[in-house]
Amino acid sequence: MAAHRARRWSLAGLVCLITAALASAVLYTTTGPAAHRADAASALTWSDDFDGPAGKAPDSSKWTLETGGNGNGNHELQYYTKSTDNAALDGKGNLVITARKNTDSGLQCWNGPCQFTSARLNTAQTFTQKYGHFESRIKIPRGKGMWPAFWMLGDNLGSAGWPDSGEIDIMENVGNEPSTVHGTIHGPGYSGANGIGAPYNAPDGKAFADDFHVFAVDWSPNAITWSVDGHAYETRTPADVNGNKWVYDHPFFMILNLAVGGDWPGSPDGGTSFPQTMTVDYVHVSASDQPTSGGGSGTARTGAIKGIGGMCVDVAGASDADATPIQLHDCNGADAQKWTLGTDGTVRALGKCLDVKGGSTDNGAAVQLYRCNGSKAQQWGYSSARDLTNVGADKCLDAKDGSSSDGTRLQIWTCGGNANQKWTVG
C-alpha cells in the first residue's frame, strides 16, 4: 500500500468549522428526501444528484465549501476557494470540481504564492450519519500530482481531534496510478502511512479517468466493506486494528475534494495538463436498517460461518482466484474464513463473492469464490432458522454428503433442515 498522508484535515479551518457546528447544534444524523435509490431497493436518507443550470454553485443547504491554502498537513499545493471557477454544476446533472493554475497573485499558500486553485466540499454542518451505504459516481482527473478523494470524518473531530475521531477513505487516487484506487481507515494507532486499507485495480488495466465509476462503502457496527462498480474488494473489522480502538461507532460527515500535489502523489510534472476536473454524477446515502435487494438482511454481518461439526466455511488454499472451491475446514481465524453477509445480499471473502458455479439451479451444483457481478448466483438470504439460501436457485448451502470432514466441498441442495445445511454467522 502506498504511504498515505499524515492527515488530510485542516487544523486551522476544518476543526474550527466542526467546533462551530457543534456549538450551534446543527449536526444531526439523517436529513434529506426519503426517495428511492435507482440502483437498489433501499430508501435514501440523503442525496444530491447535482441537478441545476450550468455554472450554479453547489447547494449550500447540503455542502459547505472550505477555503485556504495551508497544505492540509500534506504539503498540498492548491488553494481551496468558494468560486464557481472551482466548483459548479455543469447543467447535465453533474458537479464539476476543477483544479486550475492560479492567476491571483494575492492568494498565499503555506509555501508562498499559490500555484493552483481547487475545491473541497463537506457536509459537516448539514448532514452526518452513523452506519449505512455511502455511494458516489465519479469520473476522476488524470496526471501526476492529481489527488481526488471521496471520504468521511467523524463528527467529533472538533473535540476528539484526528485521528481519534476516525476517517474512512471511500476512494482516493493518485495520478501516477491511473488504474488504481484506494480504500482506507485511519484511527488511533493506525493513521497516516499506517492507515489500514487496500488498493483496487481496474479490470484490464483501464484508467479510472476514462469513465465514471461507482465508489461505495457499506458500514455496519462491526465491518466496513469497500466496493467499486458493485465489486466488493475489501472488508475491515475491529480485528484488523491490532488491538487499537475501533472508532467507527458514531456519525461521520462526507467530503469531496480535488487536491494538487502533496506528500503522497508528488507534484504535477510537465505531462500534467490544466485545468483538471473531478466530475461527480451523484452522492447517495441510505441507512443500514433499510430493506435491500436480493437476499440482503439490511445489516452487514462479518465473521466466521460455522456449520456441521463446528467446521468453518473456508476458501480452499486461501486463494482469491476466480472459481476457487469452497469447503469446510478447521476454524483458524484466517482471512479465508472471514465472511461478510452484505446489505446487498452478497456473501464475501477475500474481496470476492460466494457464487454458484455456472449460475446452476441443480442439486449438487458446486459453490465457489468468484468476482462479484450482481447475478442471482451470488445472492443469498440468511434466515432465523440458520439456512443460507441461494436466491437464484432457492436452494440451501449444503455440506456434501452430510460430512463434517476437513476439505468437504460445499454445494447447493433442496433445503431439508438437516444439520449439514445449518450455519451460524459470526
Side-chain angles (χ1 to χ4, degrees):
M1 179 182 142
H4 284 69
R5 64 271 178 268
R7 65 180 187 271
R8 297 201 52 199
W9 47 271
S10 162
L11 181 62
L14 191 53
V15 171
C16 290
L17 173 67
I18 303 305
T19 302
L22 289 168
S24 59
V26 295
L27 291 177
Y28 45 96
T29 56
T30 57
T31 188
H36 287 284
R37 286 173 48 197
D39 54 349
S42 55
L44 291 175
T45 55
W46 187 94
S47 68
D48 196 341
D49 292 288
F50 303 112
D51 295 323
K56 183 180 179 181
D59 187 344
S60 60
S61 71
K62 297 181 178 183
W63 300 98
T64 297
L65 283 157
E66 300 176 33
T67 59
N70 63 7
N72 298 292
N74 307 298
H75 302 107
E76 298 166 21
L77 302 177
Q78 79 289 328
Y79 188 100
Y80 287 129
T81 82
K82 294 183 177 182
S83 172
T84 52
D85 287 340
N86 296 113
L89 307 185
D90 66 357
K92 301 176 182 178
N94 301 306
L95 166 69
V96 181
I97 301 175
T98 304
R100 303 178 182 275
K101 289 187 175 181
N102 179 39
T103 58
D104 182 352
S105 60
L107 292 182
Q108 292 293 309
C109 287
W110 64 273
N111 59 339
C114 299
Q115 302 173 58
F116 306 95
T117 60
S118 189
R120 172 162 148 166
L121 302 79
N122 72 67
T123 65
Q125 298 187 66
T126 58
F127 172 79
T128 70
Q129 181 170 298
K130 180 173 73 171
Y131 310 139
H133 181 88
F134 298 76
E135 172 180 307
S136 184
R137 184 171 182 262
I138 302 171
K139 184 177 182 181
I140 67 170
R142 67 177 76 240
K144 187 176 186 304
M146 306 313 301
W147 190 1
F150 171 43
W151 52 301
M152 299 195 293
L153 286 170
D155 70 342
N156 61 342
L157 175 63
S159 57
W162 186 93
D164 289 15
S165 59
E167 176 177 332
I168 302 171
D169 298 328
I170 303 173
M171 180 282 296
E172 291 183 285
N173 167 264
V174 289
N176 60 320
E177 297 178 345
S179 302
T180 304
V181 293
H182 297 261
T184 313
I185 52 174
H186 298 266
Y190 50 100
S191 62
N194 296 314
I196 298 169
Y200 175 83
N201 298 314
D204 304 320
K206 294 180 179 178
F208 279 101
D210 289 341
D211 204 350
F212 284 93
H213 295 274
V214 177
F215 305 100
V217 291
D218 284 284
W219 172 25
S220 65
N222 292 303
I224 304 170
T225 296
W226 286 255
S227 63
V228 177
D229 296 329
H231 302 303
Y233 70 94
E234 175 189 12
T235 296
R236 296 295 170 182
T237 72
D240 292 313
V241 300
N242 302 315
N244 293 300
K245 188 176 181 182
W246 178 261
V247 291
Y248 312 99
D249 56 359
H250 57 275
F252 276 53
F253 61 89
M254 297 180 291
I255 303 167
L256 289 167
N257 75 286
L258 175 54
V260 182
D263 298 329
W264 186 18
S267 298
D269 60 18
T272 309
S273 62
F274 286 90
Q276 285 289 330
T277 58
M278 174 181 176
T279 306
V280 185
D281 179 19
Y282 64 77
V283 179
H284 288 173
V285 183
S286 56
S288 60
D289 60 354
Q290 298 292 337
T292 59
S293 60
S297 64
T299 302
R301 304 174 65 178
T302 296
I305 301 177
K306 294 183 179 180
I308 187 170
M311 301 291 278
C312 278
V313 176
D314 177 274
V315 182
S319 172
D320 64 356
D322 282 346
T324 298
I326 305 300
Q327 61 183 10
L328 292 181
H329 195 284
D330 291 324
C331 297
N332 56 26
D335 286 347
Q337 296 179 359
K338 292 179 182 177
W339 297 89
T340 296
L341 275 65
T343 58
D344 59 355
T346 61
V347 179
R348 310 172 191 139
L350 303 177
K352 292 191 175 179
C353 280
L354 188 68
D355 176 278
V356 180
K357 188 173 182 179
S360 176
T361 61
D362 296 335
N363 278 340
V367 174
Q368 60 185 5
L369 193 73
Y370 204 84
R371 176 175 293 177
C372 300
N373 55 32
S375 69
K376 289 186 178 180
Q378 297 180 355
Q379 292 285 303
W380 301 84
Y382 184 63
S383 73
S384 58
R386 297 190 292 117
D387 296 327
L388 193 52
T389 307
N390 178 252
V391 171
D394 193 26
K395 291 182 177 177
C396 278
L397 184 68
D398 178 284
K400 189 174 182 179
D401 299 326
S403 173
S404 61
S405 298
D406 202 359
T408 296
R409 296 297 169 86
L410 301 190
Q411 59 186 11
I412 56 169
W413 200 272
T414 301
C415 299
N418 301 321
N420 64 319
Q421 294 181 351
K422 297 299 181 183
W423 308 95
T424 300
V425 179

